[in-house]
Amino acid sequence: MAQQLDLQEQEQIDALKAFWAKYGNLIMWTVTLVLAVFAAWTWWQKMERDKAAVASTMYGEMQTAAAAGDAKRAGQILGDMKSKAAKTTYTQLGGLLAAKTQADKGDTADATANLQWVAENGNDENAAVAHLRLAGLLADARKYDDALKELALVKPASFAALVADRRGDIELARGQKDAAVKAYKVAYDGLPETLQYRLLVQAKLTALGAAPAASAASGAAQ
């Protein structure tokens, strides 16, 4: 009986040896690859955390420069953010803030360039803000068709009312009153009643003789 067990054990050992001889290298390479991927993922996460920390600090510096109206310093900080942590959300926000500071100082060229960078590299929400602001700068330069094209690039549905409001501004600036009223009505209907911004859109409609309340009353009478 003992001899039979020894034979069975030997057969199992031989089978294991044969299996390992055939698949051992593959198993070792697979395990090594998994460990390497895990190590790389851990390292990447650490690098991303470090970059986010650096970008957060630099964004704080950006806010200080913006509050002081220092457009030149804001641009310098953004350049550092792009070189050290280009893919972080802080850098996207930094691009928007630097552009606002530059535009306020009349530096529309740099403001436009930074907004375009955010539009191309930011997440959907930040890119949407960039397109809206670009549309505003283009409208100020009387490039109305280009401004409307920027609005068409806004993706998130949550920005639809803001896009409509900006479209109304552009249409009004180029003398298209009816198109402006139509856009403002879309904006008004799309904004929550509790949002103060809605009152601004209502004021625009009222100034154009199309106050929402008056329109509703007219519709009810008919």
Side-chain angles (χ1 to χ4, degrees):
M1 183 68 178
Q3 185 179 5
Q4 184 178 0
L5 289 174
D6 290 342
L7 289 174
Q8 290 177 344
E9 290 176 357
Q10 188 60 47
E11 288 175 354
Q12 291 174 347
I13 292 172
D14 291 342
L16 181 58
K17 287 181 178 179
F19 175 83
W20 190 255
K22 185 175 182 179
Y23 298 108
N25 284 338
L26 176 61
I27 293 172
M28 287 299 295
W29 277 108
T30 301
V31 171
T32 301
L33 179 60
V34 169
L35 291 174
V37 170
F38 177 76
W41 172 250
T42 302
W43 174 83
W44 181 83
Q45 285 186 314
K46 180 181 183 302
M47 290 294 292
E48 290 301 304
R49 287 194 298 270
D50 291 345
K51 287 181 181 179
V54 169
S56 174
T57 300
M58 297 179 77
Y59 184 69
E61 296 174 4
M62 171 81 72
Q63 290 178 309
T64 300
D70 192 342
K72 182 178 179 181
R73 178 58 181 154
Q76 291 172 341
I77 295 171
L78 179 60
D80 290 340
M81 294 178 78
K82 287 180 180 179
S83 65
K84 296 178 180 179
K87 295 183 180 181
T88 66
T89 301
Y90 283 112
T91 302
Q92 297 171 30
L93 295 174
L96 295 174
L97 185 54
K100 181 181 184 304
T101 307
Q102 291 161 339
D104 289 345
K105 290 296 182 178
D107 185 0
T108 56
D110 284 338
T112 297
N114 287 327
L115 288 174
Q116 288 175 336
W117 183 86
V118 177
E120 293 170 3
N121 297 279
N123 59 35
D124 285 349
E125 289 71 24
N126 289 330
V129 174
H131 285 304
L132 282 168
R133 293 184 180 176
L134 278 170
L137 290 178
L138 289 166
D140 290 342
R142 299 184 179 182
K143 297 179 179 180
Y144 303 123
D145 289 339
D146 290 337
L148 291 174
K149 289 178 182 178
E150 284 295 331
L151 294 182
L153 296 175
V154 176
K155 295 180 181 180
S158 57
F159 282 77
L162 297 178
V163 168
D165 177 55
R166 182 56 57 87
R167 180 177 291 109
D169 293 342
I170 295 169
E171 294 291 2
L172 187 61
R174 67 176 186 171
Q176 302 296 319
K177 179 183 174 181
D178 290 343
V181 168
K182 182 178 180 180
Y184 286 142
K185 285 182 177 180
V186 171
Y188 182 83
D189 292 339
L191 291 168
E193 293 182 7
T194 56
L195 193 65
Q196 290 294 313
Y197 190 84
R198 194 173 192 242
L199 296 177
L200 175 60
V201 179
Q202 180 178 344
K204 293 177 182 180
L205 285 167
T206 301
L208 293 173
S215 296
S218 176
Q222 294 176 355

